[in-house]
């Protein structure tokens, strides 16, 4: 399950510069380094350990064997590779190595990287399954979902190409605490891009560091990576996971609003605001709740 739980401490909240006067919206997402501001935005990819999720059947000898592979929404490519290896009982790393000969029909912008295009769905293994066949099926499904008229038109309406829309959808998939929040998270992304503000999403930091965690330290935001959305302007160079239909819909049809910040104060209570001072109060409330929960756990 994807969650969106803030990790900002009160110390870091005090150190943030004000966003009270963002620059006027811009029409393009090609951004300069103007408009740099601090954002205490909550978000993490909490996608668990990559495990195969097979559907099983029993053969004539009474042994179970997988018949299908379920890829959950929000899994990264590395998790998909691991799942395929385990489902097909292959040595670790086999599926990743198969990319060179898989001949995947990826967009040119992907430059051979299938991240974002390994569509989450249930894939039958069929007879003599191979990593190449499974990866091709995933990419083929993504192309059917992403290259149709609704997505292409939605991307164009937002001054994006489809690959950029998939990248935004992957951030939305990672950041949103619930499906009903996805449209608002997408709007935060667009609002910050249009104002020349760095995204500063922790999910991109987690991707850069190859981890899934709820805690992001100040030193993490200083890493030298094109996925460091604290230091780099605009979108990351590729998607950061493989989004599903709801996240993609949110990316091309973001909910109307002026929000620039969001934080999940508690499960089921994600708060969006355009006011930095209000956001600080929301973060402070989250921190109080987190401290109370830690004390209660320690006393148990």
């Amino acid at each position: 399950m994807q969650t969106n739980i803030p990790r900002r401490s009160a110390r870091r909240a005090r150190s943030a510069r004000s966003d009270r006067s963002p620059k006027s919206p811009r029409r393009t997402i090609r951004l300069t380094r103007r408009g740099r501001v601090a954002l205490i935005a909550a978000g993490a990819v909490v996608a668990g350990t990559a495990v195969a999720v097979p559907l099983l059947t029993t053969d004539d000898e009474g042994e179970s064997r997988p018949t299908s592979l379920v890829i959950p929404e929000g899994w990264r490519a590395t998790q998909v590779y691991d799942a395929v290896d385990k489902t097909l009982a292959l040595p670790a790393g086999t599926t990743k190595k198969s990319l060179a000969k898989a001949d995947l029909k990826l967009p040119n912008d992907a430059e051979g990287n299938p991240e974002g295009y390994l569509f989450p769905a249930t894939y039958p293994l069929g007879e003599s399954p191979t990593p190449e066949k499974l990866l091709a099926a995933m990419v083929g499904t993504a192309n059917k979902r992403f290259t149709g008229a609704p997505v292409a038109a939605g991307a164009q309406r937002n001054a994006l190409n489809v690959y950029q829309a998939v990248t935004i959808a992957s951030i939305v998939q990672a950041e949103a605490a619930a499906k009903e929040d996805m449209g608002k998270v997408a709007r935060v992304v667009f609002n910050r891009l249009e104002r020349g503000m760095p995204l500063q999403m922790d999910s991109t930091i987690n991707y850069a560091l190859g981890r899934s965690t709820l805690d992001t330290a100040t030193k993490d935001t200083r890493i030298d990576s094109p996925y460091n959305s604290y230091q780099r302007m605009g979108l990351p160079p590729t998607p950061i996971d493989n989004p599903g239909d709801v996240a993609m819909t949110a990316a091309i049809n973001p909910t109307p609003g002026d929000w620039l910040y969001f934080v999940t104060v508690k499960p089921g209570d994600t708060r969006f605001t355009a006011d930095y001072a209000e956001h600080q109060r929301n973060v402070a409330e989250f921190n109080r709740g987190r401290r109370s929960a830690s004390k209660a756990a320690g006393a148990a």
Side-chain angles (χ1 to χ4, degrees):
M1 180 179 68
Q2 306 301 314
T3 62
N4 178 24
I5 304 176
R7 281 81 59 205
R8 296 290 175 271
S9 66
R11 172 181 62 79
R12 292 190 64 192
R14 288 194 297 270
S15 71
R17 298 191 299 277
S18 174
D19 271 340
R20 291 192 182 92
S21 300
K23 288 177 167 52
S24 298
R26 301 167 63 188
R27 292 182 179 275
T28 177
I29 67 167
R30 291 185 176 275
L31 305 172
T32 67
R33 300 187 73 82
R34 293 184 300 141
R36 271 196 159 211
V37 289
L39 168 67
I40 307 173
V45 178
V46 183
T49 302
V51 294
V53 185
L55 300 180
L56 303 176
T57 190
T58 302
D59 61 22
D60 293 338
E61 297 179 359
E63 295 184 359
S64 295
R65 61 180 180 84
T67 60
S68 298
L69 176 63
V70 180
I71 302 299
E73 295 176 348
W75 264 17
R76 298 172 185 163
T78 53
Q79 293 173 291
V80 175
Y81 303 153
D82 288 346
V84 173
D85 285 344
K86 292 174 182 177
T87 299
L88 301 184
L90 298 171
T94 300
T95 299
K96 185 175 182 180
K97 292 178 182 177
S98 74
L99 288 173
K101 56 182 178 179
D103 191 27
L104 301 177
K105 307 304 181 184
L106 296 166
N108 292 334
D109 287 344
E111 297 183 351
N113 181 355
E115 191 74 85
Y117 280 76
L118 302 175
F119 195 82
T122 300
Y123 295 95
L125 299 184
E127 296 294 328
S128 304
T130 65
E132 293 86 350
K133 290 178 182 178
L134 284 171
L135 293 177
M138 294 175 199
V139 172
T141 302
N143 284 328
K144 290 178 182 177
R145 291 290 209 281
F146 297 158
T147 60
V151 171
Q156 185 175 23
R157 185 171 59 249
N158 290 293
L160 304 169
N161 62 36
V162 171
Y163 192 71
Q164 289 169 322
V166 175
T167 300
I168 291 177
S170 74
I171 294 173
V172 170
Q173 186 76 64
E175 293 282 344
K179 289 185 176 181
E180 54 266 28
D181 293 331
M182 287 185 172
K184 290 183 175 181
V185 172
R187 178 56 65 186
V188 170
V189 172
F190 278 105
N191 286 346
R192 296 187 69 80
L193 290 172
E194 290 171 356
R195 286 159 176 76
M197 299 163 65
L199 295 182
Q200 294 186 317
M201 297 287 178
D202 292 348
S203 55
T204 67
I205 297 289
N206 277 335
Y207 187 79
L209 295 173
R211 69 184 189 187
S212 298
T213 181
L214 297 179
D215 295 299
T216 299
T218 301
K219 66 178 182 179
D220 296 333
T221 67
R222 297 171 180 163
I223 62 172
D224 182 13
S225 169
Y227 294 93
N228 184 349
S229 61
Y230 282 79
Q231 302 292 334
R232 306 292 180 98
M233 300 298 291
L235 295 173
T238 72
I240 61 170
D241 59 49
N242 294 281
D245 284 325
V246 177
M248 192 64 190
T249 298
I252 60 174
N253 294 295
T255 304
D258 62 353
W259 311 292
L260 294 171
Y261 316 97
F262 62 94
V263 60
T264 299
V265 175
K266 58 185 176 181
D269 184 11
T270 299
R271 300 179 189 177
F272 294 80
T273 182
D275 183 77
Y276 181 63
E278 180 181 355
H279 181 66
Q280 284 184 306
R281 292 192 292 272
N282 291 338
V283 171
E285 182 175 340
F286 162 76
N287 285 332
R288 289 194 297 271
R290 194 176 191 187
R291 287 193 294 269
S292 296
S294 296
K295 289 180 180 179

